[in-house]
Amino acid sequence: MMAQYLALKAEAGDCLLFYRMGDFFELFFDDAKLAAQVLDIALTSRGEHQGVPIPMCGVPAHSAEGYLARLIKAGCRVAIADQTETPEEAKKRGGSKALVARDIVRFVTAGTLTEEALLEPRRANVLAAVCEVRGTFGIAACDISTGRMELEECAPDRLGAALARLGASELVAPEGLADAPAEAIARPARDFSSDHGEARLKALHEVATLDGFGSFTRAMLAAAGGLVAYLDHVGRGSLPLLLPPVARAGEAHLAMDEATRASLEILASSQGGRRGSLIEAVDRCVTGAGARQLADDLSAPLTDAAAIEARLALVGWLHADPLLRGDLRAVLRAIPDLGRALGRVVAGRGSPRDLGQLRDGLSEARRIHDFLKGRSERPALLDALLPALTGHGALTDLYARALVASPPTERAQGGFIAEGYDAALDELRRISGDARRAIAALEARYRSDTGIAALKIRHNGVLGYFVEVPARSADPLMAPDSGFTHRQTMAGAVRFNALALHEEASRIAQAGGHALAAEEAHFEELTALAVAARHAIAATAAALARLDVAAGQAERAAEGGWSRPEIAAEPVLVIEGGRHPVVEAALAAKGERFVANACTLSPQDRLWLVGGPNMGGKSTFLRQNALIVLLAQAGGFVPAETARIGLVDRLFSRVGASDNLARGRSTFMVEMVETAAILAQASERSFVILDEVGRGTSTYDGLALAWAVVEAVHGVNRCRCLFATHYHELSRLAESCEALSLHHVRAREWQGDLVLLHELAEGPADRSYGLAVAKLAGVPAPVVARAKAVLDRLEKGRAETGGIAAGLGDLPLFAAAAEQQEEVVDHLRQRLDALDVDALSPREALDLLYELKREAARLP
């Protein structure tokens, strides 16, 4: 057995091996040690290997899903080695001592889950593959629980933003890829062939050309090849549901890098969970599919004005009719997760319950179609969605006749085919039922004939049906002429068989076996019909999800007084009464009111310097405007009285950086890396929020960097920007930067205490109020008093010398300074000055003369 295990373990590679032994999955050696630690189960030992006890642990096969979920969450990958034959078949093949054959039937990894118990209902589970073809990166991504597959390509500098948008649970890349993320799983480079990928997709979707699905580049097809090859590997030759690929254009979506997504807390808060994130504050979807679609919308906002307006029109239509919206949401709430049920069915892991969910979901989709079709003034997006909600009448009618009202999750025991669907099956069930009634009558007759009132007919998996009597009443049945045959003696009971009982038991077993076989055949037929209609069913699931998102967005807008944004062609950002959705929700939960603020950026006033005290609301103001842009371009209403937004191509947020010890980066280094990315990538159509650039280093260095960054954003990038700072000296830039204006968050000191008003006002901040904030935070009074004395001395020195910004007003602007040539260094003079002529031999002097002559020829 151990030889068989070791061979399978070698095949499993770095995956934990679940080795099936009877009713358990066992793990051995290091796998057992790791699994026991993660699962908090007992670690035992079994026999010896090379003179050392073999560590072992195990989990029950019937509850393996729960253990698998915990292992996957801990970052493990698992190979399932199951028995491929029964013990009887093994004995027939190789005698009484033959080992049952086992093989790896599946790899369970984070990105290849389909089981309902292993997936989060409101979060997509994305598997992605990335590769490089001639300097361009191809990305293939799919959620195999629903079959959705997207292909895209991007330049190397946009790879991080693309992968951050996908948020893949698992990423595969070819071996040796230099720029592969650290978490990527290496796969053979031969799998990432564009020709191989194209051929696999054609075979998978049974087409001669992929032109009907879109235009795909070599990089996209190479990534698709690697993705499909990996799915084939983990499924051991069995592929899951994969819908026709969709080409995603990178420019069609608002680009955000990983740092920006983390800063804005779009799908997860800084604590790592959904609580406190943007999606928690926005999500009012009533289905898991809708919540997943909303997450995708927020992760990839649009940059096409027509597509944004189409989404907004549908949200606005539902927002204007609360009764219609309420009825629609009530129906949607009862619809099962069609996409994931279909994914399990196509992957061969479906159950009768999944078929029942398809029946119920498709029937409700038709009901929604009929409900909405009769409405007037429907928006264009709704008209585009309605055809996908119908067309399944024949399938749902068949499923309604074939399946019971509430099919079970397991099909091994049968009972899911409805009565009246198959007359032969009904007859087998009748025979089985009659036999059971005959056994009950037989039990009553035996009691009467023997006079033993405690006699019972029981059943178990070993003996089948048998007669059981208390031990004190067993003697009459032991007699040779009693008609009973002794089977087993227990501590307090004795078990017997009887000819009539054996005959009835045989009838039950035969009829029951035939009935189960008939139900299994029907299940395969019904499953094949769903597989054949998988594309149409998936389209229905997608349409329902889009309707749920629109209805949820409308509900959120009505709940919070949000407004429909206006999408403008010019690069403006005009927001009246803007609010931060997450902070506002948190304050509302405590009965407090959020202070709304306006933001009016335009080509003539595109960069705001925002000053004011800590805790005054600067960071909140910056983030809320970024989130309003994101929500608007995702196609939803926004938390503002009015909003007019010029389309943004890239969104950057450098707010609240923290250190990254795993990469050896300090907080300041992280800040500089993020700032460098902004300066290199932001265009005139970008929107940037920067908070306290320059902190974390010396005052002079920090101010110098902040000054230069502001000038670069203003004069080179020329994008819309909100720049929060405590450097009052930067206010001098308003004199030289024509599109820069000064603003501050208001605060007042009242009777020695700081009062934060959270209101934005024009003009520079008069003070930072740092000592007042320290006092508010509970810094001991003696420390605050000492700081006050030091501050007074520093301010006196600044008044006498002009402060650290003295002389900055004479600096040329960034653009002009960048054009100045760097000081030319006279290398020849340096070398001659360092030369010891007396130490040179005649030959060395001649060689040096030739070398200096060559160097002089290279100078401009």
Side-chain angles (χ1 to χ4, degrees):
M1 185 204 80
M2 194 50 61
Q4 183 189 63
Y5 169 83
L6 292 173
L8 291 172
K9 177 58 185 173
E11 194 175 346
D14 60 352
C15 298
L16 301 181
L17 182 64
F18 267 36
Y19 183 82
R20 183 68 178 263
M21 294 180 65
D23 293 332
F24 281 78
F25 282 114
E26 304 289 358
L27 298 97
F28 300 98
F29 299 105
D30 290 341
D31 286 2
K33 295 178 182 177
L34 178 57
Q37 182 179 0
V38 172
L39 302 176
D40 193 23
I41 57 178
L43 181 66
T44 60
S45 62
R46 174 192 178 101
E48 292 186 351
H49 179 68
Q50 297 179 349
V52 179
I54 301 173
M56 181 186 81
C57 68
V59 300
H62 67 85
S63 59
E65 277 191 1
Y67 294 102
L68 283 172
R70 291 163 63 185
L71 288 170
I72 297 301
K73 191 173 182 180
C76 302
R77 301 164 66 228
V78 181
I80 307 293
D82 212 339
Q83 297 174 179
T84 57
E85 63 180 357
T86 64
E88 291 74 20
E89 291 171 336
K91 289 178 182 177
K92 189 179 296 184
R93 171 178 54 82
S96 60
K97 294 186 178 181
L99 184 65
V100 175
R102 295 175 177 84
D103 195 9
I104 296 176
V105 297
R106 180 191 171 199
F107 290 87
V108 182
T109 67
T112 59
L113 304 175
T114 57
E115 290 82 357
E116 193 171 8
L118 303 182
L119 293 169
E120 294 183 35
R122 305 182 78 82
R123 180 184 175 190
N125 191 51
V126 177
L127 169 69
V130 61
C131 67
E132 184 181 10
V133 176
R134 292 191 291 273
T136 299
F137 281 92
I139 301 174
C142 72
D143 181 350
I144 70 166
S145 68
T146 60
R148 176 180 172 184
M149 184 177 190
E150 293 182 344
L151 308 181
E152 64 179 293
E153 72 170 15
C154 64
D157 65 329
R158 296 179 72 101
L159 178 63
L163 294 178
R165 185 194 72 244
L166 291 171
S169 301
E170 189 174 8
L171 179 67
V172 296
E175 295 170 334
L177 181 63
D179 296 321
E183 69 275 11
I185 298 168
R187 298 291 302 158
R190 64 178 179 275
D191 291 347
F192 294 82
S193 159
S194 58
D195 292 336
H196 167 79
E198 184 176 10
R200 291 299 298 262
L201 290 176
K202 287 178 181 177
L204 185 63
H205 299 292
E206 301 176 345
V207 294
T209 175
L210 299 177
D211 293 346
F213 301 144
S215 177
F216 305 106
T217 65
R218 291 287 109 189
M220 293 180 185
L221 294 172
L227 183 71
V228 175
Y230 182 68
L231 287 173
D232 190 54
H233 164 71
V234 298
R236 305 293 284 175
S238 175
L239 287 174
L241 170 63
L242 288 176
L243 299 174
V246 176
R248 180 193 281 264
E251 297 75 18
H253 299 276
L254 174 64
M256 295 179 285
D257 58 24
E258 187 175 3
T260 297
R261 293 173 186 277
S263 171
L264 297 180
E265 301 176 295
I266 299 171
L267 301 184
S269 70
S270 56
Q271 282 73 41
R274 182 183 170 96
R275 186 175 182 82
S277 66
L278 174 65
I279 194 169
E280 188 211 22
V282 173
D283 186 5
R284 296 298 181 269
C285 295
V286 294
T287 69
R292 296 194 298 270
Q293 182 62 62
L294 175 63
D296 187 65
D297 290 351
L298 296 178
S299 295
L302 303 172
T303 55
D304 180 69
I308 295 171
E309 291 291 358
R311 290 185 185 177
L312 289 173
L314 180 55
V315 174
W317 188 71
L318 292 168
H319 181 264
D321 194 337
L323 294 179
L324 168 66
R325 184 174 73 247
D327 291 342
L328 175 60
R329 282 165 59 82
V331 178
L332 286 169
R333 186 175 281 108
I335 292 181
D337 198 328
L338 275 180
R340 286 190 167 173
L342 177 66
R344 290 188 291 272
V345 169
V346 175
R349 301 169 195 152
S351 68
R353 180 169 175 262
D354 291 322
L355 295 180
Q357 288 185 337
L358 294 181
R359 172 199 62 195
D360 298 341
L362 294 175
S363 299
E364 290 301 302
R366 177 57 186 264
R367 181 181 164 197
I368 291 175
H369 170 274
D370 296 342
F371 174 62
L372 296 176
K373 186 71 174 178
R375 296 283 171 166
S376 60
E377 299 180 358
R378 297 186 306 271
L381 181 56
L382 179 58
D383 282 338
L385 294 174
L386 285 178
L389 299 178
T390 188
H392 306 289
L395 184 65
T396 54
D397 289 346
L398 176 63
Y399 279 10
R401 289 186 293 108
L403 298 169
V404 297
S406 300
T409 55
E410 298 292 337
R411 66 179 193 261
Q413 302 303 316
F416 54 86
I417 297 298
E419 186 177 351
Y421 178 70
D422 182 346
L425 175 60
D426 292 343
E427 178 62 18
L428 290 172
R429 287 173 171 170
R430 186 192 64 77
I431 294 171
S432 179
D434 288 348
R436 285 184 169 84
R437 284 189 289 274
I439 283 181
L442 197 60
E443 182 181 78
R445 195 186 89 192
Y446 285 160
R447 285 177 181 173
S448 175
D449 292 348
T450 61
I452 304 173
L455 182 147
K456 294 181 180 179
I457 295 180
R458 297 184 183 277
H459 179 272
N460 66 29
V462 177
L463 299 179
Y465 285 96
F466 55 85
V467 174
E468 184 176 281
V469 298
R472 63 178 181 276
S473 307
D475 289 346
L477 275 64
M478 290 287 193
D481 57 351
S482 65
F484 294 91
T485 304
H486 176 255
R487 293 291 305 277
Q488 191 176 32
T489 298
M490 310 291 290
V494 182
R495 295 171 176 175
F496 299 88
N497 200 358
L499 181 60
L501 177 61
H502 177 71
E503 291 173 353
E504 293 296 338
S506 297
R507 288 177 58 199
I508 291 174
Q510 188 174 20
H514 289 167
L516 288 176
E519 289 205 63
E520 182 65 24
H522 286 310
F523 179 81
E524 296 297 334
E525 294 169 1
L526 297 173
T527 295
L529 292 173
V531 172
R534 61 189 181 277
H535 294 161
I537 296 173
T540 300
L544 289 170
R546 176 54 63 196
L547 281 175
D548 189 24
V549 170
Q553 291 272 43
E555 185 71 16
R556 183 65 182 92
E559 174 188 305
W562 294 11
S563 64
R564 176 174 175 170
E566 176 190 350
I567 305 301
E570 62 273 20
V572 298
L573 183 62
V574 182
I575 297 169
E576 296 294 336
R579 311 185 299 278
H580 192 299
V582 179
V583 177
E584 183 181 31
L587 291 175
K590 298 187 291 184
E592 300 178 17
R593 184 179 66 89
F594 185 92
V595 179
N597 282 296
C599 177
T600 55
L601 298 178
S602 67
Q604 295 74 36
D605 185 17
R606 61 179 179 269
L607 197 160
W608 281 17
L609 278 183
V610 182
N614 289 307
M615 297 177 60
K618 298 190 303 298
S619 297
T620 298
F621 176 73
L622 267 59
R623 283 191 174 105
Q624 78 187 33
N625 288 291
L627 293 179
I628 287 172
V629 168
L630 187 153
L631 288 169
Q633 294 193 206
F637 282 26
V638 298
E641 295 174 7
T642 62
R644 185 166 179 266
I645 300 170
L647 285 175
V648 173
D649 64 348
R650 281 175 172 263
L651 180 60
F652 294 96
S653 172
R654 206 233 59 77
V655 180
S658 59
D659 56 18
N660 189 331
L661 299 180
R663 294 188 180 181
R665 293 177 177 175
S666 66
T667 302
F668 182 70
M669 183 62 175
V670 170
E671 175 185 311
M672 288 297 100
V673 169
E674 295 173 4
T675 303
I678 293 170
L679 296 176
Q681 300 173 23
S683 73
E684 291 188 10
R685 299 207 66 89
S686 300
F687 180 45
V688 174
I689 59 174
L690 290 161
D691 189 16
E692 298 187 35
V693 170
R695 65 179 178 179
T697 186
S698 73
T699 304
Y700 283 95
D701 283 358
L703 174 59
L705 284 166
W707 188 289
V709 169
V710 171
E711 286 189 338
V713 170
H714 177 273
V716 180
N717 301 103
R718 304 181 66 83
C719 56
R720 287 159 285 178
C721 177
L722 298 176
F723 191 108
T725 184
H726 285 289
Y727 292 126
H728 303 299
E729 294 79 7
L730 294 181
S731 61
R732 295 190 184 185
L733 285 167
E735 302 169 5
S736 54
C737 298
E738 73 283 355
L740 181 151
S741 59
L742 305 175
H743 303 263
H744 68 279
V745 288
R746 295 180 60 207
R748 289 290 180 269
E749 281 191 284
W750 175 255
Q751 296 181 350
D753 292 326
L754 179 66
V755 179
L756 300 170
L757 302 178
H758 302 294
E759 295 176 358
L760 196 74
E762 293 185 0
D766 55 350
R767 298 171 54 191
S768 288
Y769 297 97
L771 301 188
V773 173
K775 179 181 177 182
L776 201 62
V779 174
V783 175
V784 175
R786 176 59 178 167
K788 178 79 166 58
V790 173
L791 178 62
D792 291 341
R793 182 65 61 87
L794 291 173
E795 289 181 338
K796 181 180 179 182
R798 180 174 63 183
E800 295 173 352
T801 64
I804 63 173
L808 288 181
D810 299 330
L811 276 174
L813 290 179
F814 181 91
E819 294 175 359
Q820 294 179 354
Q821 294 184 354
E822 294 184 3
E823 179 185 354
V824 177
V825 178
D826 192 339
H827 295 287
L828 289 176
R829 183 180 295 276
Q830 287 183 346
R831 293 196 63 179
L832 289 170
D833 286 343
L835 192 62
D836 184 359
V837 178
D838 294 332
L840 293 176
S841 68
R843 180 55 185 253
E844 290 172 339
L846 185 61
D847 290 341
L848 181 58
L849 186 59
Y850 279 119
E851 184 180 340
L852 293 174
K853 184 176 177 63
R854 286 194 299 270
E855 186 172 337
R858 290 195 295 267
L859 292 176

